Amino acid sequence: MPNQPIAAAIRGRLLSFLRAPAGPGDLDSVRCIDDGLLLVGADGRIAAVGPWAELRGCVPDGVTVDDHGGKLVLPGFIDTHIHFPQTQVIASYGAQLLDWLDKYTFIEEQKFADPAHAAANAGFFLDELLRNGTTTAVVYGSVHPQSVDALFAEAEARGAGLIAGKVMMDRHAPPALTDTAETGYRDSKDLIARWHGRGRQRYAVTPRFAITSTEAQLEAAGALLREHPGVHMQTHLSENLDEIAEVRRLFPGARDYTDVYDRFGLLGPTSLFGHCIHLSEAELARLSESGSVAVFCPTSNLFIGSGLFDLATLSKPQRPVRTAIATDVGGGTSYSMLRTAAEAYKVLQLQGQNLPALAAFHWMTRGNAEALGMADEIGSLEPGRWADLVVLDPHATPAMRHRMMTVAGDLEEELFIQVTLGDDRSVAATYLRGRNSHLRQQVA
Ligand code: GUN
Ligand code: ZN
């Protein structure tokens, strides 16, 4: 029984993970309440979760139950790597990483010097996340601090929590897109002071990648982390072979790419490294030992032609590297974590590996929350967590409806269909703090 005022009540098939599934068939890892009720307190946090039959009496007069019937109600998806200034870079043709950055990305990101452009795009960006059921994201801004101000302001207005940072880049980019070691440090510090810990917002120190930062700037990024315990760090690591060769040329004293970051104190449990495709055993050992997180961005890795994320090697039990999964829009080609998990499955299949449906859903929710060190806040349907939810329709498209006719009560099979065929059309509704923030338009 909840012991606080109830502000919202959501009924449906409630699905939430208790731990990481050991493999296919591990249904003990998940709690599914076929006819469940989730009660939300006035603070936007989950007050109680249980069977409808047990909790229905707790819905106060004046609170209407949002009844989602046979649809699945899950913790909102978490996207652990996405670029805010790349909403108009997505779907840019025919280039691999370094050319793609020069030809498309570094052109588009310059527009975010304009606060009006940043504000308009922040609205679109949050709309698109919510339309896809993503309620928390870890976001790269542009080099301009005003882009991150616009993003956080939009998230705050909607009750969403972001982890975001201004990109630090002081070389090998157009002059209009570079800061300096000093201004990058100062602007990041000011943003931390303005936004980190304000409501739900958190900061990530964001040196873009080794190629675009001098040693002085990486040193400054390390200083920011030391001076502000609790902020995250995000960057790119070992995505593309030409990138790796260039890093070797620029940092001849470093043992390897990972060591470039390690030397400046950038590894650790709050550090997120996008891609991690072409790593040596020594690098994997160091990432594991430091508790750093490797972020798998499958649609991006396929689209930019970067390579295949080797989950089995990363996860070797004798030196496991923590992992997360993400869209990496605009190198990535979809805002949907469902599409992302579907491509992850294929990337792993190409290597003789696998991604069971339970593991995919765990990863997008509780797994990513754990990777961010935020499992006590988001990622599961438990009292005290934020009531950030996604409602998924198992019959969202004709193909899904048709395929679902063959499924007789097998949760794993239903979830696999959702991962493989689902996308933004599957998202019937998205809630932030128990408030409906996106409701799919019903089309006749
Ligand atoms: N490496 C450095 N910057 C980027 C970026 O914006 N996208 C991707 N995919 N890789 C990068
Ligand atoms: Zn990226």
Side-chain angles (χ1 to χ4, degrees):
M1 285 292 148
N3 52 5
Q4 56 170 307
I6 298 304
I10 296 140
R11 183 181 183 183
R13 292 169 64 209
L14 306 182
L15 186 88
S16 177
F17 286 86
L18 306 167
R19 58 170 170 78
D26 183 9
L27 289 163
D28 289 344
S29 65
V30 66
R31 184 177 185 215
C32 185
I33 309 175
D34 275 332
D35 185 7
L37 184 64
L38 186 143
L39 298 172
V40 184
D43 58 358
R45 293 181 186 265
I46 297 172
V49 180
W52 164 254
E54 281 176 26
L55 287 182
R56 59 187 299 177
C58 302
V59 181
D61 289 347
V63 171
T64 316
V65 176
D66 279 5
D67 190 345
H68 294 289
K71 298 192 179 79
L72 286 164
V73 179
L74 296 100
F77 296 136
I78 300 166
D79 187 348
T80 53
H81 182 130
I82 184 166
H83 295 260
F84 162 53
Q86 295 180 12
T87 53
Q88 293 178 315
V89 174
I90 191 171
S92 290
Y93 172 77
Q96 298 220 343
L97 179 64
L98 300 180
D99 291 334
W100 175 85
L101 286 170
D102 284 340
K103 198 168 161 187
Y104 301 115
T105 309
F106 289 166
I107 309 300
E108 205 54 44
E109 293 197 6
Q110 294 183 39
K111 298 180 185 164
F112 286 74
D114 173 6
H117 182 78
N121 276 270
F124 173 82
F125 185 77
L126 265 295
D127 279 348
E128 199 59 17
L129 292 181
L130 295 169
R131 237 170 46 69
N132 282 280
T134 297
T135 49
T136 301
V138 188
V139 188
Y140 286 67
S142 70
V143 74
H144 320 96
Q146 57 270 35
S147 75
V148 177
D149 282 321
L151 184 65
F152 275 135
E154 187 69 32
E156 184 176 73
R158 296 172 188 239
L162 296 180
I163 302 175
K166 145 205 149 54
V167 153
M168 302 168 78
M169 45 198 298
D170 65 347
R171 64 168 168 178
H172 296 141
L177 263 199
T178 48
D179 54 12
T180 67
E182 292 73 29
T183 61
Y185 171 84
R186 199 167 353 99
D187 287 345
S188 301
K189 208 168 175 67
D190 289 349
L191 284 165
I192 292 170
R194 273 204 293 288
W195 291 105
H196 184 67
R198 171 164 151 178
R200 301 188 63 179
Q201 314 312 323
R202 298 187 182 202
Y203 198 78
V205 173
T206 309
R208 181 174 209 123
F209 69 154
I211 292 179
T212 46
S213 285
T214 59
E215 297 205 356
Q217 181 158 75
L218 295 174
E219 180 68 48
L224 287 167
L225 292 181
R226 284 193 302 279
E227 289 158 12
H228 302 280
V231 303
H232 282 80
M233 195 290 302
Q234 59 180 345
T235 190
H236 297 86
L237 171 63
S238 209
E239 176 176 4
N240 164 287
L241 296 175
D242 290 343
E243 170 207 17
I244 296 166
E246 182 64 3
V247 170
R248 202 167 288 138
R249 194 182 69 76
L250 291 170
F251 297 90
R255 269 197 312 281
D256 47 48
Y257 195 164
T258 302
D259 188 48
V260 171
Y261 296 133
D262 203 3
R263 288 166 173 236
F264 297 102
L266 302 184
L267 271 57
T270 55
S271 294
L272 307 168
F273 293 95
H275 307 298
C276 295
I277 296 172
H278 311 282
L279 294 170
S280 66
E281 189 49 45
E283 292 178 280
L284 292 167
R286 194 54 202 120
L287 289 172
S288 172
E289 181 185 39
S290 61
S292 302
V293 177
V295 184
F296 183 12
C297 306
T299 73
S300 170
N301 298 159
L302 294 172
F303 184 74
I304 310 186
S306 302
L308 305 178
F309 185 89
D310 185 349
L311 180 63
T313 298
L314 280 150
S315 310
K316 273 189 184 161
Q318 59 272 31
R319 51 116 197 80
V321 177
R322 297 167 68 213
T323 57
I325 185 165
T327 64
D328 192 30
V329 164
T333 51
S334 174
Y335 294 84
S336 166
M337 289 302 293
L338 293 170
R339 299 297 334 121
T340 300
E343 297 308 288
Y345 178 86
K346 297 171 196 170
V347 166
L348 297 176
Q349 280 279 62
L350 282 169
Q351 302 171 93
Q353 300 174 31
N354 230 307
L355 183 61
L358 291 178
F361 271 90
H362 171 266
W363 221 358
M364 296 184 277
T365 56
R366 188 176 188 125
N368 273 351
E370 285 173 356
L372 300 179
M374 293 174 69
D376 55 347
E377 292 281 315
I378 53 174
S380 55
L381 305 183
E382 289 171 33
R385 309 296 191 272
W386 291 110
D388 292 349
L389 312 169
V390 57
V391 182
L392 295 180
D393 182 354
H395 306 107
T397 68
M400 290 171 78
R401 199 177 313 125
H402 188 67
R403 176 64 174 83
M404 279 295 290
M405 287 176 191
T406 67
V407 179
D410 182 330
L411 177 66
E412 266 187 298
E413 192 176 5
E414 176 182 341
L415 292 178
F416 191 64
I417 292 168
Q418 186 64 256
V419 161
T420 309
L421 300 179
D423 52 32
D424 54 329
R425 293 168 296 178
S426 312
V427 177
T430 306
Y431 289 83
L432 287 171
R433 303 167 53 127
R435 286 211 302 269
N436 206 325
S437 301
H438 160 73
L439 193 60
R440 188 182 62 195
Q441 299 282 318
Q442 294 293 336
V443 278

